[in-house]
Amino acid sequence: MLIVNKIIIAIDGYSACGKSTTAKNVAKALHYVHVDTGAMYRGVALYLLRKGIPVDRETPELFAALDEIHLEFDLNPDGASSDLILNGENVEQEIRTLTVSNVVSEVAAMKPVREKLVLLQHQIGKKKGIVMDGRDIGTVVFPHADLKIFMSATLEKRVERRQLQLSRSGISQSDKEIRDNIRHRDHIDTTRQESPLRRAADALELDTTDKTIDQQVQFVVEHAMRIINENVVTNA
Ligand code: DC
């Protein structure tokens, strides 16, 4: 009998490089589950904004809020992508707005926020058979992930992609606003004290500037299949 071991795939990289789209499609191809950890930070940011709690410092209100926040994913019928559920409410659309994007990096830089979400990510990852994307998945959350990918693309390409994504959701934003937001987030994500964005030494680089989504997905799936096949155990 062949025993096919499921693996953990960690995809990290800058904002708007196509991480989530790639991760979602890789999960679909392998019949794995995609976990978008950025959505979790966005969910916390949305909760703080709604409650009028400061998003950039550790206050008693922040700690109380973290106890109140319950996050889960609702799997969509395609079996791979999922919507973020915040305390029972589907907030998938609202967490993508620029209002949330503008503060999420500050929220994600706070240690108690990261501690809560990393714990949750560990629980989700116990099952294996997952593709998790974020900023610290290969370095902090799953340093022993079976496959690590680090994605990048030029700033202009990332602005173009975010613009397309927003306009598809009916959100209008100037290129300048988007560019400023991406720059701002790159700066905070790479310079913060807690788990800054960096490439794990054993991560494979994937520059998506001139690649289509299909090519990106193929790159990850090919490497995943190689690792899965190396791990197939024959149990006679
Ligand atoms: O991937 P995204 O743009 O939805 O992520 C939103 C923010 O959350 C981003 O500015 C960085 C932060 N983040 C993080 O710090 N660690 C993760 N694992 C995922 C996202």
Side-chain angles (χ1 to χ4, degrees):
M1 191 173 73
L2 285 184
I3 299 174
V4 179
N5 290 318
K6 293 200 163 190
I7 65 169
I8 292 184
I9 302 173
I11 302 185
D12 290 303
Y14 297 93
S15 316
C17 287
K19 289 189 306 296
S20 289
T21 313
T22 303
K24 186 173 74 184
N25 285 296
V26 169
K28 212 169 169 175
L30 298 173
H31 303 287
Y32 278 21
V33 171
H34 168 219
V35 183
D36 172 359
T37 62
M40 300 165 84
Y41 289 95
R42 287 170 180 271
V44 174
L46 177 63
Y47 187 88
L48 300 181
L49 284 173
R50 282 179 174 178
K51 295 271 177 181
I53 296 169
V55 292
D56 55 355
R57 55 188 186 278
E58 296 176 23
T59 59
E61 291 79 13
L62 171 75
F63 286 95
L66 288 176
D67 284 340
E68 289 158 14
I69 293 174
H70 180 74
L71 296 173
E72 56 195 329
F73 286 100
D74 187 18
L75 208 60
N76 286 322
D78 65 15
S81 67
S82 43
D83 288 354
L84 186 76
I85 310 295
L86 165 63
N87 294 343
E89 178 191 351
N90 187 321
V91 291
E92 188 57 36
Q93 290 293 322
E94 207 173 341
I95 58 169
R96 307 290 163 193
T97 58
L98 209 65
T99 315
V100 172
S101 298
N102 279 338
V103 300
V104 65
S105 287
E106 280 80 356
V107 172
M110 292 191 282
K111 192 174 181 182
V113 174
R114 303 203 71 81
E115 282 174 349
K116 177 180 168 101
L117 296 191
V118 169
L119 204 68
L120 200 56
Q121 289 152 13
H122 280 158
Q123 284 165 4
I124 299 172
K126 268 194 195 139
K127 281 189 220 125
K128 289 215 165 188
I130 61 158
V131 188
M132 194 175 273
D133 79 273
R135 304 295 188 287
D136 59 342
I137 311 305
T139 51
V140 175
V141 182
F142 291 118
H144 302 298
D146 307 272
L147 174 61
K148 299 180 188 176
I149 307 286
F150 189 84
M151 286 173 62
S152 60
T154 60
L155 180 63
E156 279 322 298
K157 196 68 181 189
R158 293 157 65 202
V159 172
E160 192 185 308
R161 288 186 183 147
R162 188 47 51 96
Q163 182 64 273
L164 197 71
Q165 188 187 27
L166 287 173
S167 66
R168 278 200 194 118
S169 313
I171 300 169
S172 157
Q173 220 77 64
S174 72
D175 277 4
K176 184 179 180 313
E177 277 175 300
I178 296 173
R179 188 176 300 106
D180 288 350
N181 175 256
I182 290 179
R183 275 214 187 102
H184 173 69
R185 291 207 286 149
D186 278 358
H187 176 70
I188 298 184
D189 293 347
T190 52
T191 59
R192 70 182 176 215
Q193 253 195 325
E194 295 298 323
S195 325
L197 168 66
R198 58 181 176 79
R199 184 176 82 84
D202 51 351
L204 302 175
E205 292 229 31
L206 176 56
D207 180 343
T208 68
T209 308
D210 297 313
K211 288 204 165 43
T212 63
I213 292 292
D214 282 351
Q215 288 171 326
Q216 293 163 205
V217 173
Q218 195 186 349
F219 177 89
V220 183
V221 169
E222 277 176 10
H223 282 285
M225 288 311 296
R226 174 180 51 78
I227 293 166
I228 291 167
N229 288 332
E230 280 167 10
N231 286 312
V232 169
V233 177
T234 309
N235 193 352

